[in-house]
Amino acid sequence: MITHRRRPRGGNGERGAVTAELALGLPLVLAVTVGLAWLLAAASAQIRVVDAARESARAVARGDSESEATAVGAQIAPEGAGIEVVLEGRQVAVTASARIEGPGGLFDFLPGVTVRSRAVALLEES
C-alpha cells in the first residue's frame, strides 16, 4: 500500500524572508545611490572648473582684460567659485576652484570637496 504524506503549509520557516531581506537591503541601496549621485555632482563640478580656467586663460591670452576673463570664467564655473589670474611674462595662468559640499541630511558625515584646475596660455602678439 502506497501512502502519501502531505507537507504542512508554511512549515519550512522561510515565510516573510524576502520581505525581511528587502527591508534590510533597501537602506544600503539608497545609501549607495545617494553616494553615486554626489560623486556625479563632484565630477560635474570638476569639469566646469576645468572649462572655466581654460576659457579665462584663453580670454586673457587673446587680449581681454582680467576682469572680463574672470567674468567669463564665473559664468562657466559652479556658483561661488574663485578665479585667479596671474600674468607670468609672456603667459597667463588661471586657477579656478570651487567648494562642493556633501549631500547633507542623513549623509552629513560625508565631507565636502574642493575641486581645482589650472590653465596656462601664451599671450597672443598684438
Side-chain angles (χ1 to χ4, degrees), residues 9-38:
R9 291 185 173 178
N12 60 5
E14 292 186 22
R15 261 188 111 173
V18 172
T19 304
E21 290 170 1
L22 180 64
L24 291 174
L26 202 55
L28 178 62
V29 170
L30 178 64
V32 168
T33 302
V34 169
L36 289 175
W38 181 75

PDB file of all heavy atoms in Angstrom, residues 9-38:
ATOM      1  N   ARG A   9       1.422  23.313   5.507  1.00  0.00           N
ATOM      2  CA  ARG A   9       1.608  24.620   4.864  1.00  0.00           C
ATOM      3  C   ARG A   9       2.438  25.541   5.731  1.00  0.00           C
ATOM      4  O   ARG A   9       2.190  25.681   6.910  1.00  0.00           O
ATOM      5  CB  ARG A   9       0.268  25.277   4.578  1.00  0.00           C
ATOM      6  CG  ARG A   9      -0.490  24.586   3.519  1.00  0.00           C
ATOM      7  CD  ARG A   9      -1.726  25.346   3.193  1.00  0.00           C
ATOM      8  NE  ARG A   9      -2.371  24.750   2.043  1.00  0.00           N
ATOM      9  CZ  ARG A   9      -3.485  25.174   1.544  1.00  0.00           C
ATOM     10  NH1 ARG A   9      -4.108  26.182   2.080  1.00  0.00           N
ATOM     11  NH2 ARG A   9      -3.999  24.583   0.489  1.00  0.00           N
ATOM     12  N   GLY A  10       3.440  26.207   5.051  1.00  0.00           N
ATOM     13  CA  GLY A  10       4.271  27.184   5.757  1.00  0.00           C
ATOM     14  C   GLY A  10       5.151  26.568   6.818  1.00  0.00           C
ATOM     15  O   GLY A  10       5.627  27.257   7.705  1.00  0.00           O
ATOM     16  N   GLY A  11       5.401  25.347   6.737  1.00  0.00           N
ATOM     17  CA  GLY A  11       6.180  24.683   7.763  1.00  0.00           C
ATOM     18  C   GLY A  11       7.682  24.793   7.579  1.00  0.00           C
ATOM     19  O   GLY A  11       8.426  24.321   8.404  1.00  0.00           O
ATOM     20  N   ASN A  12       8.167  25.415   6.501  1.00  0.00           N
ATOM     21  CA  ASN A  12       9.606  25.451   6.281  1.00  0.00           C
ATOM     22  C   ASN A  12      10.273  26.644   6.960  1.00  0.00           C
ATOM     23  O   ASN A  12      11.468  26.789   6.886  1.00  0.00           O
ATOM     24  CB  ASN A  12       9.942  25.425   4.785  1.00  0.00           C
ATOM     25  CG  ASN A  12       9.352  26.586   4.028  1.00  0.00           C
ATOM     26  OD1 ASN A  12       8.752  27.478   4.609  1.00  0.00           O
ATOM     27  ND2 ASN A  12       9.513  26.559   2.716  1.00  0.00           N
ATOM     28  N   GLY A  13       9.554  27.546   7.597  1.00  0.00           N
ATOM     29  CA  GLY A  13      10.125  28.641   8.379  1.00  0.00           C
ATOM     30  C   GLY A  13      10.704  29.785   7.565  1.00  0.00           C
ATOM     31  O   GLY A  13      11.406  30.614   8.107  1.00  0.00           O
ATOM     32  N   GLU A  14      10.447  29.825   6.268  1.00  0.00           N
ATOM     33  CA  GLU A  14      11.006  30.883   5.415  1.00  0.00           C
ATOM     34  C   GLU A  14       9.959  31.901   4.988  1.00  0.00           C
ATOM     35  O   GLU A  14      10.213  32.703   4.103  1.00  0.00           O
ATOM     36  CB  GLU A  14      11.670  30.261   4.190  1.00  0.00           C
ATOM     37  CG  GLU A  14      12.905  29.480   4.537  1.00  0.00           C
ATOM     38  CD  GLU A  14      13.642  28.991   3.304  1.00  0.00           C
ATOM     39  OE1 GLU A  14      13.450  29.576   2.226  1.00  0.00           O
ATOM     40  OE2 GLU A  14      14.392  28.030   3.430  1.00  0.00           O
ATOM     41  N   ARG A  15       8.819  31.850   5.582  1.00  0.00           N
ATOM     42  CA  ARG A  15       7.784  32.813   5.226  1.00  0.00           C
ATOM     43  C   ARG A  15       8.212  34.215   5.634  1.00  0.00           C
ATOM     44  O   ARG A  15       8.658  34.436   6.733  1.00  0.00           O
ATOM     45  CB  ARG A  15       6.489  32.490   5.952  1.00  0.00           C
ATOM     46  CG  ARG A  15       5.540  31.753   5.086  1.00  0.00           C
ATOM     47  CD  ARG A  15       4.247  31.635   5.757  1.00  0.00           C
ATOM     48  NE  ARG A  15       3.309  32.476   5.032  1.00  0.00           N
ATOM     49  CZ  ARG A  15       2.043  32.518   5.271  1.00  0.00           C
ATOM     50  NH1 ARG A  15       1.546  31.809   6.254  1.00  0.00           N
ATOM     51  NH2 ARG A  15       1.254  33.270   4.561  1.00  0.00           N
ATOM     52  N   GLY A  16       8.128  35.165   4.716  1.00  0.00           N
ATOM     53  CA  GLY A  16       8.489  36.546   5.007  1.00  0.00           C
ATOM     54  C   GLY A  16       9.972  36.840   4.892  1.00  0.00           C
ATOM     55  O   GLY A  16      10.405  37.947   5.202  1.00  0.00           O
ATOM     56  N   ALA A  17      10.776  35.871   4.464  1.00  0.00           N
ATOM     57  CA  ALA A  17      12.218  36.080   4.358  1.00  0.00           C
ATOM     58  C   ALA A  17      12.556  37.131   3.311  1.00  0.00           C
ATOM     59  O   ALA A  17      13.458  37.945   3.508  1.00  0.00           O
ATOM     60  CB  ALA A  17      12.928  34.766   4.032  1.00  0.00           C
ATOM     61  N   VAL A  18      11.822  37.123   2.208  1.00  0.00           N
ATOM     62  CA  VAL A  18      12.084  38.108   1.149  1.00  0.00           C
ATOM     63  C   VAL A  18      11.785  39.515   1.660  1.00  0.00           C
ATOM     64  O   VAL A  18      12.541  40.454   1.410  1.00  0.00           O
ATOM     65  CB  VAL A  18      11.249  37.776  -0.111  1.00  0.00           C
ATOM     66  CG1 VAL A  18      11.354  38.893  -1.133  1.00  0.00           C
ATOM     67  CG2 VAL A  18      11.689  36.460  -0.699  1.00  0.00           C
ATOM     68  N   THR A  19      10.717  39.665   2.388  1.00  0.00           N
ATOM     69  CA  THR A  19      10.367  40.973   2.937  1.00  0.00           C
ATOM     70  C   THR A  19      11.430  41.458   3.915  1.00  0.00           C
ATOM     71  O   THR A  19      11.829  42.623   3.895  1.00  0.00           O
ATOM     72  CB  THR A  19       8.998  40.895   3.644  1.00  0.00           C
ATOM     73  OG1 THR A  19       8.037  40.405   2.718  1.00  0.00           O
ATOM     74  CG2 THR A  19       8.577  42.259   4.150  1.00  0.00           C
ATOM     75  N   ALA A  20      11.915  40.578   4.739  1.00  0.00           N
ATOM     76  CA  ALA A  20      12.952  40.953   5.709  1.00  0.00           C
ATOM     77  C   ALA A  20      14.252  41.327   5.006  1.00  0.00           C
ATOM     78  O   ALA A  20      14.907  42.300   5.372  1.00  0.00           O
ATOM     79  CB  ALA A  20      13.191  39.809   6.684  1.00  0.00           C
ATOM     80  N   GLU A  21      14.626  40.561   3.978  1.00  0.00           N
ATOM     81  CA  GLU A  21      15.850  40.877   3.234  1.00  0.00           C
ATOM     82  C   GLU A  21      15.725  42.211   2.520  1.00  0.00           C
ATOM     83  O   GLU A  21      16.673  42.994   2.458  1.00  0.00           O
ATOM     84  CB  GLU A  21      16.163  39.757   2.247  1.00  0.00           C
ATOM     85  CG  GLU A  21      16.613  38.485   2.926  1.00  0.00           C
ATOM     86  CD  GLU A  21      16.683  37.308   1.966  1.00  0.00           C
ATOM     87  OE1 GLU A  21      16.394  37.489   0.769  1.00  0.00           O
ATOM     88  OE2 GLU A  21      17.037  36.215   2.424  1.00  0.00           O
ATOM     89  N   LEU A  22      14.565  42.486   1.965  1.00  0.00           N
ATOM     90  CA  LEU A  22      14.333  43.764   1.296  1.00  0.00           C
ATOM     91  C   LEU A  22      14.406  44.916   2.297  1.00  0.00           C
ATOM     92  O   LEU A  22      15.014  45.953   2.017  1.00  0.00           O
ATOM     93  CB  LEU A  22      12.978  43.769   0.591  1.00  0.00           C
ATOM     94  CG  LEU A  22      12.606  45.045  -0.149  1.00  0.00           C
ATOM     95  CD1 LEU A  22      13.579  45.280  -1.311  1.00  0.00           C
ATOM     96  CD2 LEU A  22      11.192  44.979  -0.660  1.00  0.00           C
ATOM     97  N   ALA A  23      13.813  44.731   3.465  1.00  0.00           N
ATOM     98  CA  ALA A  23      13.839  45.774   4.495  1.00  0.00           C
ATOM     99  C   ALA A  23      15.256  46.060   4.958  1.00  0.00           C
ATOM    100  O   ALA A  23      15.597  47.196   5.283  1.00  0.00           O
ATOM    101  CB  ALA A  23      12.966  45.371   5.672  1.00  0.00           C
ATOM    102  N   LEU A  24      16.109  45.056   4.992  1.00  0.00           N
ATOM    103  CA  LEU A  24      17.498  45.259   5.405  1.00  0.00           C
ATOM    104  C   LEU A  24      18.354  45.817   4.270  1.00  0.00           C
ATOM    105  O   LEU A  24      19.283  46.578   4.501  1.00  0.00           O
ATOM    106  CB  LEU A  24      18.101  43.939   5.900  1.00  0.00           C
ATOM    107  CG  LEU A  24      17.536  43.403   7.208  1.00  0.00           C
ATOM    108  CD1 LEU A  24      18.097  42.023   7.508  1.00  0.00           C
ATOM    109  CD2 LEU A  24      17.830  44.358   8.345  1.00  0.00           C
ATOM    110  N   GLY A  25      18.061  45.440   3.043  1.00  0.00           N
ATOM    111  CA  GLY A  25      18.880  45.854   1.904  1.00  0.00           C
ATOM    112  C   GLY A  25      18.526  47.206   1.329  1.00  0.00           C
ATOM    113  O   GLY A  25      19.361  47.866   0.725  1.00  0.00           O
ATOM    114  N   LEU A  26      17.286  47.645   1.507  1.00  0.00           N
ATOM    115  CA  LEU A  26      16.845  48.910   0.919  1.00  0.00           C
ATOM    116  C   LEU A  26      17.637  50.126   1.402  1.00  0.00           C
ATOM    117  O   LEU A  26      18.019  50.962   0.589  1.00  0.00           O
ATOM    118  CB  LEU A  26      15.346  49.094   1.162  1.00  0.00           C
ATOM    119  CG  LEU A  26      14.620  50.032   0.227  1.00  0.00           C
ATOM    120  CD1 LEU A  26      14.825  49.616  -1.221  1.00  0.00           C
ATOM    121  CD2 LEU A  26      13.142  50.056   0.561  1.00  0.00           C
ATOM    122  N   PRO A  27      17.933  50.259   2.699  1.00  0.00           N
ATOM    123  CA  PRO A  27      18.759  51.397   3.123  1.00  0.00           C
ATOM    124  C   PRO A  27      20.151  51.399   2.500  1.00  0.00           C
ATOM    125  O   PRO A  27      20.692  52.447   2.163  1.00  0.00           O
ATOM    126  CB  PRO A  27      18.839  51.246   4.648  1.00  0.00           C
ATOM    127  CG  PRO A  27      17.644  50.456   5.010  1.00  0.00           C
ATOM    128  CD  PRO A  27      17.403  49.538   3.859  1.00  0.00           C
ATOM    129  N   LEU A  28      20.726  50.233   2.317  1.00  0.00           N
ATOM    130  CA  LEU A  28      22.036  50.144   1.689  1.00  0.00           C
ATOM    131  C   LEU A  28      21.972  50.589   0.227  1.00  0.00           C
ATOM    132  O   LEU A  28      22.832  51.348  -0.241  1.00  0.00           O
ATOM    133  CB  LEU A  28      22.578  48.718   1.780  1.00  0.00           C
ATOM    134  CG  LEU A  28      23.929  48.478   1.124  1.00  0.00           C
ATOM    135  CD1 LEU A  28      24.994  49.336   1.807  1.00  0.00           C
ATOM    136  CD2 LEU A  28      24.297  47.025   1.167  1.00  0.00           C
ATOM    137  N   VAL A  29      20.956  50.157  -0.477  1.00  0.00           N
ATOM    138  CA  VAL A  29      20.780  50.574  -1.875  1.00  0.00           C
ATOM    139  C   VAL A  29      20.571  52.081  -1.948  1.00  0.00           C
ATOM    140  O   VAL A  29      21.137  52.751  -2.816  1.00  0.00           O
ATOM    141  CB  VAL A  29      19.595  49.816  -2.526  1.00  0.00           C
ATOM    142  CG1 VAL A  29      19.237  50.400  -3.881  1.00  0.00           C
ATOM    143  CG2 VAL A  29      19.924  48.346  -2.655  1.00  0.00           C
ATOM    144  N   LEU A  30      19.804  52.639  -1.038  1.00  0.00           N
ATOM    145  CA  LEU A  30      19.579  54.086  -1.005  1.00  0.00           C
ATOM    146  C   LEU A  30      20.878  54.835  -0.719  1.00  0.00           C
ATOM    147  O   LEU A  30      21.183  55.837  -1.378  1.00  0.00           O
ATOM    148  CB  LEU A  30      18.538  54.435   0.056  1.00  0.00           C
ATOM    149  CG  LEU A  30      18.237  55.918   0.231  1.00  0.00           C
ATOM    150  CD1 LEU A  30      17.610  56.480  -1.038  1.00  0.00           C
ATOM    151  CD2 LEU A  30      17.337  56.143   1.420  1.00  0.00           C
ATOM    152  N   ALA A  31      21.673  54.349   0.221  1.00  0.00           N
ATOM    153  CA  ALA A  31      22.952  54.999   0.551  1.00  0.00           C
ATOM    154  C   ALA A  31      23.908  54.967  -0.632  1.00  0.00           C
ATOM    155  O   ALA A  31      24.568  55.969  -0.942  1.00  0.00           O
ATOM    156  CB  ALA A  31      23.587  54.329   1.767  1.00  0.00           C
ATOM    157  N   VAL A  32      23.976  53.851  -1.316  1.00  0.00           N
ATOM    158  CA  VAL A  32      24.844  53.748  -2.495  1.00  0.00           C
ATOM    159  C   VAL A  32      24.364  54.691  -3.592  1.00  0.00           C
ATOM    160  O   VAL A  32      25.168  55.373  -4.239  1.00  0.00           O
ATOM    161  CB  VAL A  32      24.900  52.289  -2.994  1.00  0.00           C
ATOM    162  CG1 VAL A  32      25.551  52.196  -4.365  1.00  0.00           C
ATOM    163  CG2 VAL A  32      25.651  51.424  -1.990  1.00  0.00           C
ATOM    164  N   THR A  33      23.069  54.796  -3.792  1.00  0.00           N
ATOM    165  CA  THR A  33      22.517  55.689  -4.808  1.00  0.00           C
ATOM    166  C   THR A  33      22.827  57.146  -4.502  1.00  0.00           C
ATOM    167  O   THR A  33      23.245  57.900  -5.387  1.00  0.00           O
ATOM    168  CB  THR A  33      20.991  55.491  -4.923  1.00  0.00           C
ATOM    169  OG1 THR A  33      20.732  54.121  -5.236  1.00  0.00           O
ATOM    170  CG2 THR A  33      20.402  56.376  -5.989  1.00  0.00           C
ATOM    171  N   VAL A  34      22.657  57.555  -3.255  1.00  0.00           N
ATOM    172  CA  VAL A  34      22.970  58.940  -2.871  1.00  0.00           C
ATOM    173  C   VAL A  34      24.462  59.213  -3.027  1.00  0.00           C
ATOM    174  O   VAL A  34      24.867  60.269  -3.523  1.00  0.00           O
ATOM    175  CB  VAL A  34      22.489  59.232  -1.429  1.00  0.00           C
ATOM    176  CG1 VAL A  34      23.045  60.553  -0.921  1.00  0.00           C
ATOM    177  CG2 VAL A  34      20.974  59.255  -1.385  1.00  0.00           C
ATOM    178  N   GLY A  35      25.294  58.260  -2.620  1.00  0.00           N
ATOM    179  CA  GLY A  35      26.737  58.425  -2.770  1.00  0.00           C
ATOM    180  C   GLY A  35      27.153  58.567  -4.226  1.00  0.00           C
ATOM    181  O   GLY A  35      27.980  59.419  -4.570  1.00  0.00           O
ATOM    182  N   LEU A  36      26.582  57.768  -5.089  1.00  0.00           N
ATOM    183  CA  LEU A  36      26.900  57.864  -6.514  1.00  0.00           C
ATOM    184  C   LEU A  36      26.415  59.181  -7.114  1.00  0.00           C
ATOM    185  O   LEU A  36      27.102  59.781  -7.947  1.00  0.00           O
ATOM    186  CB  LEU A  36      26.309  56.678  -7.270  1.00  0.00           C
ATOM    187  CG  LEU A  36      26.977  55.331  -7.003  1.00  0.00           C
ATOM    188  CD1 LEU A  36      26.219  54.212  -7.714  1.00  0.00           C
ATOM    189  CD2 LEU A  36      28.429  55.348  -7.440  1.00  0.00           C
ATOM    190  N   ALA A  37      25.256  59.638  -6.697  1.00  0.00           N
ATOM    191  CA  ALA A  37      24.752  60.930  -7.189  1.00  0.00           C
ATOM    192  C   ALA A  37      25.667  62.062  -6.741  1.00  0.00           C
ATOM    193  O   ALA A  37      25.937  63.000  -7.507  1.00  0.00           O
ATOM    194  CB  ALA A  37      23.330  61.161  -6.691  1.00  0.00           C
ATOM    195  N   TRP A  38      26.171  61.992  -5.511  1.00  0.00           N
ATOM    196  CA  TRP A  38      27.085  63.019  -5.012  1.00  0.00           C
ATOM    197  C   TRP A  38      28.401  62.989  -5.781  1.00  0.00           C
ATOM    198  O   TRP A  38      28.956  64.024  -6.132  1.00  0.00           O
ATOM    199  CB  TRP A  38      27.323  62.834  -3.520  1.00  0.00           C
ATOM    200  CG  TRP A  38      28.222  63.865  -2.951  1.00  0.00           C
ATOM    201  CD1 TRP A  38      27.908  65.167  -2.685  1.00  0.00           C
ATOM    202  CD2 TRP A  38      29.587  63.693  -2.599  1.00  0.00           C
ATOM    203  NE1 TRP A  38      29.020  65.808  -2.182  1.00  0.00           N
ATOM    204  CE2 TRP A  38      30.054  64.932  -2.125  1.00  0.00           C
ATOM    205  CE3 TRP A  38      30.451  62.617  -2.639  1.00  0.00           C
ATOM    206  CZ2 TRP A  38      31.347  65.120  -1.683  1.00  0.00           C
ATOM    207  CZ3 TRP A  38      31.747  62.803  -2.203  1.00  0.00           C
ATOM    208  CH2 TRP A  38      32.178  64.047  -1.733  1.00  0.00           C
TER     209      TRP A  38
END
